[in-house]
Amino acid sequence: MEDSRIQTIYETIEFVSKVEESQRQGGKFSKSFQTIHQLLHDKSKTDLSVPPDDANAISFRYTIPKEICMSAKTGRDLFSEVTLSALLSLFDEVTSWLIMSVDRRKRGGVSVALGCHLAETNVAMPEAGDVVEILAKVDKIGRNLGFASFEARRVDTGQRICIGYHTKFLPMGWLFETAMGPYLYPITRAAVMHFSSEKAENGEGQSLSDLLKIGVINDNGTSDSTSSSSKYTFNITDDHWNAVGTLHGGCQAMIYEEVGRRIMQAECSANSLSAADNNLLHLESIHIDYLTTESKGVTLDYGLFNIGINRALMRVEMKSCNNGSKV
């Protein structure tokens, strides 16, 4: 049973990889995480397994690529570590194909809600080359919604890093669900595997620091990537797309964290607080509601609900530059 389930998971991962290769023009954001490459080409290192008491759960080891670590300067020291939103991006992809592997109609769906929080207050975030254990589980699949949960642990210390959840709206239309249903899926999969590109992934990605270029609109209407302002902009290209040609949900999470960091730096500097130092500012919890998709450009507004001695509660809202609808 366990071996059969692992085989199904690997087949799903391989199928998703081929579909993404055929549909995605850029997709550099997703490729930077190297998740599928590690799982398919470094099986001995990832050690993917299914718990004997839960066929809907998996665990595997993931080596943090340098490309997903964000660099910052604290005094004279330069440090680089993975952020909470980067781990959330990883979980977004893992739980998506995990739900697909469990659902009998192989529905990928679209994200409705995604979130996570640090498991401990003073957790040491992993750096490039560190190995973390990823545990993900499909909690429930219904007619319209799929629910998954996840957590990450440091392999070297066993310390839990973060815990989170993912909710997806699953209906994909009758044509997709017919082709991916239990009767036709073997034929669909065989066709995709046969006609897809033979080009192999080399496991290399672009630095997320280079991909996440967030601009600022000042009060006078000019753009400046370094000024502090209440409105930020982000130009979406195919590098930030998911497989269906819209903004990757994990990329959206990382944009929110970066905007939040800039806002808090400005607030701390304005009030002469030492937390303006990058090393003292970090995200503890993030929750995202997905309302619609966007493939071009967005603006971001924010609101600070509460600033305490050690923590601040913030809301960031993303809107389409096209029609002003909330994303």
Side-chain angles (χ1 to χ4, degrees):
M1 174 65 180
E2 182 180 344
D3 291 342
S4 173
R5 179 71 188 125
I6 291 176
Q7 181 180 352
T8 299
I9 292 171
Y10 275 124
E11 287 178 353
T12 304
I13 295 171
E14 191 174 16
F15 177 80
V16 170
S17 172
K18 294 298 184 182
V19 170
E20 289 182 346
E21 284 178 17
S22 63
Q23 292 184 350
R24 182 183 291 147
Q25 299 178 43
K28 291 181 180 178
F29 175 84
S30 181
K31 292 174 183 175
S32 295
F33 287 83
Q34 305 171 25
T35 319
I36 289 179
H37 177 84
Q38 288 190 26
L39 286 167
L40 292 180
H41 300 286
D42 294 320
K43 292 183 180 181
S44 60
K45 292 183 180 179
T46 54
D47 192 25
L48 187 147
S49 63
V50 175
D53 58 340
D54 193 346
N56 294 338
I58 62 166
S59 68
F60 65 92
R61 294 191 170 190
Y62 174 72
T63 303
I64 302 294
K66 65 180 185 302
E67 287 84 359
I68 72 168
C69 293
M70 306 297 282
S71 299
K73 193 172 184 179
T74 304
R76 295 182 177 180
D77 298 324
L78 185 68
F79 68 95
S80 178
E81 63 184 17
V82 69
T83 62
L84 185 62
S85 61
L87 289 176
L88 188 58
S89 301
L90 169 68
F91 292 136
D92 178 18
E93 295 212 346
V94 171
T95 51
S96 290
W97 51 251
L98 183 60
I99 287 174
M100 187 175 174
S101 74
V102 173
D103 183 45
R104 64 188 301 270
R105 284 175 284 179
K106 305 296 180 186
R107 296 173 296 176
V110 294
S111 296
V112 174
L114 181 68
C116 69
H117 61 86
L118 294 180
E120 300 177 26
T121 304
N122 297 316
V123 64
M125 297 302 286
E127 300 178 6
D130 287 347
V131 181
V132 296
E133 183 180 13
I134 305 298
L135 299 98
K137 177 183 178 181
V138 176
D139 299 306
K140 182 180 179 180
I141 290 183
R143 178 177 296 180
N144 294 318
L145 295 175
F147 302 88
S149 55
F150 49 80
E151 68 176 66
R153 295 176 181 267
R154 295 186 65 100
V155 170
D156 54 358
T157 64
Q159 183 184 34
R160 280 203 307 180
I161 303 168
C162 60
I163 306 167
Y165 63 90
H166 192 187
T167 304
K168 304 203 76 171
F169 181 72
L170 297 178
M172 300 287 288
W174 71 269
L175 182 60
F176 178 94
E177 293 187 18
T178 299
M180 298 294 286
Y183 300 108
L184 291 183
Y185 174 68
I187 299 174
T188 303
R189 184 181 186 279
V192 169
M193 301 302 290
H194 178 75
F195 291 107
S196 61
S197 170
E198 294 296 325
K199 182 181 178 182
E201 285 286 343
N202 58 15
E204 297 178 358
Q206 186 171 341
S207 168
L208 296 187
S209 298
D210 296 332
L211 290 174
L212 299 177
K213 298 296 185 182
I214 299 172
V216 179
I217 299 178
N218 298 314
D219 294 335
N220 59 8
T222 61
S223 296
D224 190 329
S225 61
T226 59
S227 300
S228 61
S229 172
S230 60
K231 182 171 286 189
Y232 294 80
T233 64
F234 186 78
N235 182 40
I236 303 169
T237 70
D238 56 6
D239 288 336
H240 311 107
W241 286 357
N242 53 27
V244 295
T246 59
L247 178 62
H248 191 294
C251 183
Q252 192 168 335
M254 294 199 69
I255 293 170
Y256 286 145
E257 178 170 4
E258 175 60 18
V259 168
R261 184 187 65 81
R262 292 189 188 187
I263 292 166
M264 287 312 304
Q265 275 189 311
E267 289 290 329
C268 291
S269 296
N271 293 281
S272 301
L273 299 176
S274 61
D277 196 341
N278 280 340
N279 196 34
L280 299 178
L281 283 172
H282 64 272
L283 183 67
E284 286 192 345
S285 174
I286 181 171
H287 168 88
I288 304 171
D289 291 318
Y290 297 96
L291 304 180
T292 187
T293 57
E294 180 57 45
S295 59
K296 295 184 179 180
V298 293
T299 60
L300 298 104
D301 296 317
Y302 77 93
L304 285 169
F305 293 128
N306 181 39
I307 301 180
I309 297 176
N310 297 316
R311 291 177 177 84
L313 179 63
M314 183 186 306
R315 172 192 59 79
V316 180
E317 193 173 81
M318 182 180 286
K319 293 183 179 180
S320 169
C321 288
N322 251 355
N323 52 29
S325 62
K326 294 181 181 178
V327 179

